[in-house]
Amino acid sequence: MTTRVRHPGIPGAERGSAGRGAAEPEFHGSGSGEQATSEQGSSGTGPAGSGTDAGTGRAAGMALMLGDGLSNQLGAATGALAFPVIGPAGVVAVRQWVAGVVLLLAGRPRFRSFTARQWWPVLGLAGVFATMNLSLYTAIDHIGLGLAVTLEFLGPLAVALIASRRMLDLGCALAAAAAVVVLVRPQPSTDYPGIALALLAAVCWGCYILLNRTVGRRVPGLQGSAAAAAVSAVAYLPIGVLVLAQHPPTAAALCFAVIAGVLSSVVPFLADLLALRRVPAQFFGVFMSVNPVLAALVGAVVLGQRPGWPEWAAIVVIVAANATATLASPRRTSCAEAGSRPLSSEG
């Protein structure tokens, strides 16, 4: 049976896909059923088995995914450079405005035609967008980019594992839990508020995955995500104005915040669309699981946040748990659950 699946963070980009993981029966993906897997996932440029074209398409898809991940983490690191001036809330407000404009132009939602049944999940998605970004960016300010993004990735991992009864998935969950203990290392000096905020971002990501399915069923095309991003951007207007009035931004801080919005919203929007035409949805999800590693690397290079070897080992374990749960799924896993992120989320 072929179910409708949707592009990560873009609930209206329907492409169709066969099946998915244990927890969520439908949403993100690429192509239509097995045909999409062979035609788009293998070649991205033409029919399956087209030799050099197939290899070129897959290589281009991998390059796009790598650029996607690096862009997201560089965007977060760039936004963090503005924290001393306008704080995480100021950066998130600017980011939400950028994401809202991008998705409004892409989705062109017909707000007047929305029914109450369509508005409720859209409003829920808008709330998730707003809360996830603010909690994640504040967590980055507290505990650093690498740790915050790694903890946030527990959200999609939990959704993928929560309904499973397989021993392999239980092993993945236990390994991830042990890695989290190593990462947070509970002690008197531990920044528990920062950890709690990162875990709140993880919960929001899980809620995004579940809400995205409902929005995708009820709202056609890109309109659902566009409407949610627009509502979130409007909600941040008074917050952003208040924050920027209390903390007058410098030209550099505003520039950093806008760049963060472009790198973490506009670039991923385009890269995800193009990548999913060249690689299978499940492969996309596995590759996106390396984002915590990219976050730690970018945090070390740009922000001087250098994890120790225990932290690196824990990050690798969580990435491996994500990838294993995705690859071992008895049905094709959606990109959202396999580790991709919403458009207006950083991580």
Side-chain angles (χ1 to χ4, degrees), residues 14-15 47 58 88 101 114 132 134 192 215 232 249 257 266 276 294 299 312 331 336:
E14 302 155 359
R15 302 174 187 237
R58 180 66 61 88
V101 170
F114 283 13
M132 176 163 46
L134 183 58
Y192 291 107
V215 170
S232 181
V266 180
L276 279 167
L294 296 176
W312 274 116
R331 291 176 292 169

Side-chain angles (χ1 to χ4, degrees), residues 163-181:
S164 176
R165 298 294 183 269
R166 295 179 304 162
M167 290 303 297
L168 178 61
D169 289 335
L170 176 60
C172 289
L174 292 175
V180 169
V181 172

